[in-house]
Amino acid sequence: MATRSKTQLGINAITFTVLVLVTLAVVNVGSAYIYGRADLTEDNLYTLSPVSKKLVKDLKGPLKVRVFVSKKLVAGLVEVRQYVVDKLKDYEDASNGRFKWELIHPGDSEENEKLTKQYRIPKFDAQTKRSGSKESREIYFGIVISYKAPGKEEKFEVIPVIGWNIQQNLEYLLTERIHRLVKGRKKLLIVTG
């Protein structure tokens, strides 16, 4: 009888191990197809506002964002680049397919370098903000937004330099420029007496 209980215990252990491994495999494969992110910040820093979502959802024509960014960034700006990419993915998800974006590395080709000059994206000296590190490098990090409304010519807006503290106002900068492209600039009449 002791042999039978040891055999049953062994079968139970093997069965449990197989079930755990199958569960882990299913979760791992499933996570490759399901994307999710939760914004737990107090100011909803990582959540696209309803105004921004509506603006890109109601686009009548294609809107394209080009991020001109050097491949080698100083420490700290790598996280900023990831924040920009995540924010652009949020806009794309909200846009019904009209919002497209791409990363362009100016150092990869002469054509990319020419585009930086065409859109006036400057090369600037970036220095590490982390203490104890004195890294400095000339880089590109700017954004060009283009929009083509049906029956009209393509228009552009430029954010020439993306810096360290962009998390606080990237959505504002993007939405404001997209609004200008889509709705036009409002004219202000000032009357003095």
Side-chain angles (χ1 to χ4, degrees):
M1 189 136 147
T3 307
R4 186 173 172 182
S5 66
K6 283 184 179 181
T7 305
Q8 188 64 37
L9 187 62
I11 290 172
N12 287 344
I14 290 171
T15 304
F16 180 75
T17 303
V18 168
L19 284 174
V20 167
L21 290 174
V22 167
T23 302
L24 288 173
V26 168
V27 168
N28 196 20
V29 169
S31 68
Y33 297 101
I34 299 171
Y35 171 76
R37 188 173 82 197
D39 184 358
L40 303 176
T41 60
E42 189 174 308
D43 298 331
N44 289 327
L45 188 62
Y46 301 104
T47 302
L48 206 58
S49 71
V51 172
S52 297
K53 286 179 181 179
K54 181 171 177 15
L55 180 64
V56 294
K57 183 180 179 193
D58 295 342
L59 290 171
K60 304 290 186 231
L63 186 130
K64 186 170 188 176
V65 176
R66 294 181 186 111
V67 180
F68 290 87
V69 60
S70 299
K71 281 186 177 178
K72 289 183 112 182
L73 298 173
V74 296
L77 280 180
V78 174
E79 291 84 3
V80 172
R81 176 180 52 204
Q82 187 59 52
Y83 177 79
V84 170
V85 166
D86 290 343
K87 190 60 78 175
L88 292 175
K89 285 178 183 177
D90 291 343
Y91 276 97
E92 184 177 36
D93 291 345
S95 75
N96 293 328
R98 297 238 184 225
F99 185 102
K100 301 291 182 196
W101 64 275
E102 67 178 322
L103 289 178
I104 296 176
H105 303 293
D108 282 356
S109 71
E110 283 185 36
E111 182 181 332
N112 290 351
E113 287 279 349
K114 285 180 188 175
L115 286 174
T116 61
K117 289 175 182 42
Q118 176 184 338
Y119 295 119
R120 296 188 175 130
I121 304 291
K123 197 174 207 179
F124 66 96
D125 185 37
Q127 296 180 355
T128 306
K129 286 192 86 170
R130 294 187 178 157
S131 62
S133 178
K134 299 277 187 198
E135 186 180 11
S136 177
R137 180 177 291 134
E138 280 198 342
I139 64 165
Y140 291 100
F141 202 169
I143 295 177
V144 175
I145 306 163
S146 62
Y147 178 68
K148 173 119 174 60
K152 300 201 175 178
E153 68 179 52
E154 191 171 25
K155 297 188 273 182
F156 300 91
E157 285 284 336
V158 178
I159 303 171
V161 175
I162 299 295
W164 294 100
N165 298 323
I166 197 67
Q167 286 94 334
Q168 283 77 27
N169 62 358
L170 178 64
E171 182 179 350
Y172 171 78
L173 292 171
L174 289 171
T175 298
E176 182 226 2
R177 281 163 173 80
I178 293 168
H179 186 270
R180 271 195 252 168
L181 290 170
V182 172
K183 310 275 187 197
R185 294 179 189 254
K186 302 276 189 230
K187 294 190 178 179
L188 181 63
L189 179 62
I190 299 175
V191 179
T192 60

